[in-house]
Amino acid sequence: MRIFELEQPGTWLISGTDDTRKVFKALLSNIQIVFYEANVALNMFEDCRSKNLDVIPYDKNKWQQDIAHRKLCENKIIETYHLDPIGDIEEIEYQSAIMLKRNKWVAGDVPMNHIDRYLFIYAKAFIYALDEIYKCVRELKKFDGVHKNKIIEICDLIEEKLPKLSEVRNSSQHMEERVHGLGAHRKPLHEDGGALWLSNLDGTRFTTTINGGKKAEVDISCKSLEHMRDIVQQTLEAFEWEGPKVHLPN
């Protein structure tokens, strides 16, 4: 587990007017909270990858136990529903498979289809958190009382260090359009054909097709969060503060 640290330049924010200061406090607080979420998501993503949860080793004893367990389930299904062991074989196999799975779930086994989703859940949480930070920083450009030139530079830095972040996040939330080969405003993504990427993980790189039909990716890595940590730190430093500086997270 790795903890990414921040330093708030002071205890009390003094930039802006009474009204805008409330907005600044809310946005900066949300930026910090969501940054912690990104850190947690990254740690869980890396922990999941290190355990290779999608690779289940062959266990002969467990395999033999499953066969015996399934036979018991078949007998129970035949007895309960008064089925013909020969004529109703498909229904018996279907119902016994369901019973076997449910019994294993009660015993603590996790469905393979669920295990396969862990990495994607953590990857998406990471991407969504980074993009929410970007949105909050962009929102700060709308107000007086901040160093606007610095905020603009920070937004440009996000585009440089984490290119296509918002596009990847947007596509991952609009699969209902992407599966039809459609982008924003339901315009075709592939005017001349091509591969369609629908939320794939290539190692640590989350890839998807964005507007224009191009492939884009976000790396779920310490390097990406280091970039965002520097961006969040610069954002905090773009404001005026009073009081002792604060080390984060608590």
Side-chain angles (χ1 to χ4, degrees), residues 215-243:
K215 173 185 172 183
E217 62 185 30
V218 173
D219 192 20
I220 316 301
S221 67
C222 287
K223 184 176 181 180
S224 293
L225 197 56
E226 284 170 357
H227 290 320
M228 188 55 79
R229 188 262 316 279
D230 294 341
I231 287 161
V232 172
Q233 185 62 51
Q234 291 182 44
T235 302
L236 293 172
E237 293 171 357
F239 291 83
E240 300 296 330
W241 301 81
E242 280 186 345

Side-chain angles (χ1 to χ4, degrees), residues 90-187:
E90 290 187 1
E91 183 65 15
I92 293 170
E93 290 180 348
Y94 178 71
Q95 293 296 340
S96 61
I98 293 174
M99 181 180 288
L100 176 61
K101 287 195 292 185
R102 288 173 176 171
N103 290 343
K104 292 172 70 174
W105 297 340
V106 170
D109 282 11
V110 180
M112 282 299 300
N113 291 140
H114 286 199
I115 291 175
D116 182 55
R117 292 295 94 193
Y118 289 162
L119 282 173
F120 284 86
I121 290 172
Y122 303 144
K124 288 182 179 180
F126 182 79
I127 291 169
Y128 294 174
L130 296 191
D131 190 54
E132 186 173 343
I133 293 172
Y134 185 22
K135 289 178 180 177
C136 289
V137 175
R138 289 205 310 263
E139 187 68 17
L140 290 169
K141 293 193 299 183
K142 300 178 181 179
F143 298 92
D144 294 324
V146 300
H147 297 295
K148 281 194 175 182
N149 289 338
K150 181 60 178 177
I151 296 298
I152 292 172
E153 290 177 4
I154 292 170
C155 288
D156 292 340
L157 186 60
I158 296 175
E159 292 287 353
E160 175 190 342
K161 298 297 184 180
L162 297 165
K164 307 302 181 183
L165 171 62
S166 292
E167 289 92 334
V168 170
R169 190 274 311 157
N170 183 65
S171 282
S172 71
Q173 289 184 308
H174 290 282
M175 284 296 106
E176 78 284 358
E177 294 179 346
R178 299 302 179 266
V179 296
H180 293 293
L182 301 174
H185 311 297
R186 301 191 69 81
K187 292 182 178 179

